[in-house]
Amino acid sequence: MKPRIYKPTEKDFTHNGLGIMIDTTRCDVTEEANGKYEVEIEHPLLSRFADFFENGYQIKAKPNDQEDYHIFEIKNTYKDTINNSVLIYGQSRTYKLGYREVQHVEIDSLNGAQVMAAIENGMDEPSDVRLFSDIQTVSSTTFEARNVLNCIAGEQGSMLQFWGGEIRREPFRLSLLRRRG
């Protein structure tokens, strides 16, 4: 599947958006276990899409043959005038949860699904990215003045530390699963 580009405000990705980037010469998706999920695209510099290769625009791309498409938000672009190409770097749209804050949520003997619900209810503003977990392990912790992504992984006292699991990113859902695949 060739990548497609969408406006920054787009929420419906069932259509081709601003267009199919048929001239793309490279589209590589990188996913690290419980870490980054990014796309790197190389596209001709002179293109009808050139005005859209800016931060905030969204790209729909398939990470591999087994998984469904994913949505990435453009974070950086680099113009290579020697090769007449542009390198586009994007991050999973689930990274926008890093802009949502949890002021204070106490977790007392809850399983993964209950913790994800508590985090979602404790966000400063709602998000269109839902949180999910199938982990039945019960544990306790406190989240105080943290962004949502740090509640799930990456800091002392995170879900990943106390509940374990593997992160799965989908266009409108971030999951912490017992096991992926």
Side-chain angles (χ1 to χ4, degrees):
M1 173 181 137
K2 287 288 188 177
R4 285 129 170 87
I5 190 159
Y6 295 83
K7 293 179 183 176
T9 56
E10 187 63 62
K11 302 280 188 227
D12 175 17
F13 299 96
T14 58
H15 57 87
N16 288 329
L18 298 168
I20 301 171
M21 299 165 58
I22 58 172
D23 296 326
T24 293
T25 55
R26 185 171 56 88
C27 179
D28 296 326
V29 175
T30 303
E31 181 177 17
E32 293 178 359
N34 294 333
K36 71 178 182 175
Y37 197 23
E38 300 174 338
V39 68
E40 183 177 312
I41 294 173
E42 188 171 351
H43 194 81
L45 189 58
L46 300 175
S47 163
R48 69 182 181 115
F49 302 115
D51 291 341
F52 307 130
F53 297 149
E54 295 182 11
N55 292 359
Y57 278 84
Q58 301 176 89
I59 304 238
K60 175 181 173 179
K62 261 183 94 72
N64 55 51
D65 292 336
Q66 291 78 35
E67 294 185 50
D68 204 3
Y69 71 88
H70 195 77
I71 307 299
F72 299 90
E73 183 179 335
I74 295 175
K75 290 297 182 184
N76 287 307
T77 57
Y78 300 99
K79 294 178 181 175
D80 182 348
T81 53
I82 294 170
N83 293 322
N84 286 323
S85 65
V86 60
L87 285 175
I88 303 162
Y89 297 94
Q91 291 182 328
S92 167
R93 76 184 300 276
T94 60
Y95 278 89
K96 66 186 196 170
L97 287 170
Y99 300 117
R100 299 278 63 84
E101 187 176 36
V102 173
Q103 283 297 319
H104 182 81
V105 173
E106 274 191 51
I107 307 299
D108 186 25
S109 300
L110 299 179
N111 67 30
Q114 294 166 321
V115 175
M116 287 293 222
I119 291 170
E120 213 170 302
N121 292 332
M123 280 192 247
D124 58 350
E125 291 180 30
S127 173
D128 64 346
V129 177
R130 312 301 330 155
L131 301 178
F132 173 80
S133 180
D134 66 354
I135 295 175
Q136 295 304 311
T137 302
V138 173
S139 192
S140 303
T141 192
T142 300
F143 302 122
E144 193 145 357
R146 291 188 190 191
N147 77 51
V148 172
L149 294 177
N150 287 339
C151 291
I152 297 168
E155 281 190 357
Q156 185 75 14
S158 69
M159 284 189 72
L160 198 56
Q161 180 185 4
F162 288 112
W163 283 264
E166 298 176 357
I167 294 173
R168 178 178 174 151
R169 296 175 189 274
E170 298 171 85
F172 294 96
R173 183 160 97 164
L174 179 68
S175 302
L176 186 59
L177 305 173
R178 282 188 309 261
R179 190 176 177 127
R180 284 185 60 176

